[in-house]
């Protein structure tokens, strides 16, 4: 669960990239995962994602936006009723052809598909780890807790 002080800190962040950079570092820290990222779908097509902010270990990674095709990855699979692509363990076995899962040793992933208030897809909020997720309910609650803010900031970026 997100602590109220953290929510106050989040609201103080400027929208867009500053917030995304703050968020991925906070998610990684709070959930104890190795990686977190926010990505925006390119145009109206949900097959390509541009990663806007990434956190690895203890750092937010400075990079130009990285675009990649999600076909054949966990994020391309069907979501559950809450919009999650969820593999708490066994990710590398399930997706042996996805090179970055193999190279980084990713064992678990949770991606929340984000959309606008009309249901149009906007992007993904993901956390990944090199060990299985042991508290899946905490991961779900945390990602759902920031869903509206992340979706709103993605909408704002798209409008600009």
């Amino acid at each position: 669960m997100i602590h109220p002080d953290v929510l106050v800190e989040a609201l103080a962040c400027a929208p867009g990239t500053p917030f995304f950079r703050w968020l991925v570092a906070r998610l990684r820290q709070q959930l104890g995962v190795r990686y977190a990222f926010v990505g925006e779908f390119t145009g109206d097509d949900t097959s390509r994602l541009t990663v806007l902010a990434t956190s690895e270990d203890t750092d937010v990674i400075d990079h130009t936006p990285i675009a990649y095709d999600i076909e054949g990855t966990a994020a391309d699979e069907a979501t559950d009723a809450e919009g999650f692509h969820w593999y708490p363990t066994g990710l590398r076995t399930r997706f042996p052809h996805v090179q970055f899962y193999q190279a980084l040793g990713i064992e678990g992933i949770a991606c929340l598909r984000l959309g606008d208030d009309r249901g149009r897809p906007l992007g993904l909020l993901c956390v990944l780890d090199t060990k299985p997720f042991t508290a899946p309910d905490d991961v779900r609650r945390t990602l759902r807790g920031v869903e509206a803010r992340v979706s709103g900031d993605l909408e704002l970026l798209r409008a600009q």
Side-chain angles (χ1 to χ4, degrees):
M1 195 67 164
I2 296 178
H3 190 275
D5 291 344
V6 173
L7 290 175
V8 170
E9 187 179 340
L11 292 172
C13 284
T17 303
F19 170 68
F20 297 147
R21 290 172 57 84
W22 174 87
L23 177 64
V24 295
R26 180 60 76 174
L27 286 173
R28 191 211 45 76
Q29 178 185 33
Q30 181 169 336
L31 295 173
V33 297
R34 181 108 190 244
Y35 306 97
F37 74 85
V38 174
E40 176 183 28
F41 291 125
T42 304
D44 290 330
D45 183 6
T46 61
S47 67
R48 190 149 178 85
L49 189 76
T50 300
V51 176
L52 304 173
T54 308
S55 179
E56 175 182 2
D57 293 330
T58 60
D59 299 316
V60 174
I61 301 170
D62 284 321
H63 60 72
T64 56
I66 301 166
Y68 72 96
D69 294 321
I70 67 169
E71 184 176 347
T73 68
D76 189 36
E77 298 279 302
T79 61
D80 66 13
E82 294 182 57
F84 278 92
H85 302 276
W86 181 249
Y87 294 92
T89 190
L91 189 69
R92 286 179 295 153
T93 302
R94 175 94 166 97
F95 298 94
H97 58 282
V98 179
Q99 291 179 345
F100 80 91
Y101 296 161
Q102 303 304 321
L104 298 175
I106 303 300
E107 182 64 24
I109 188 171
C111 288
L112 177 60
R113 189 170 283 252
L114 303 166
D116 66 14
D117 54 358
R118 293 185 214 153
R120 292 179 297 201
L122 293 169
L124 293 175
L125 176 59
C126 297
V127 292
L128 305 91
D129 208 351
T130 54
K131 59 189 183 304
F133 288 114
T134 57
D137 290 339
D138 289 345
V139 173
R140 282 179 179 272
R141 274 193 303 273
T142 300
L143 295 183
R144 292 300 303 261
V146 295
E147 179 180 13
R149 170 71 194 262
V150 178
S151 294
D153 281 29
L154 286 173
E155 279 188 276
L156 182 62
L157 282 178
R158 190 168 279 184
Q160 293 173 344

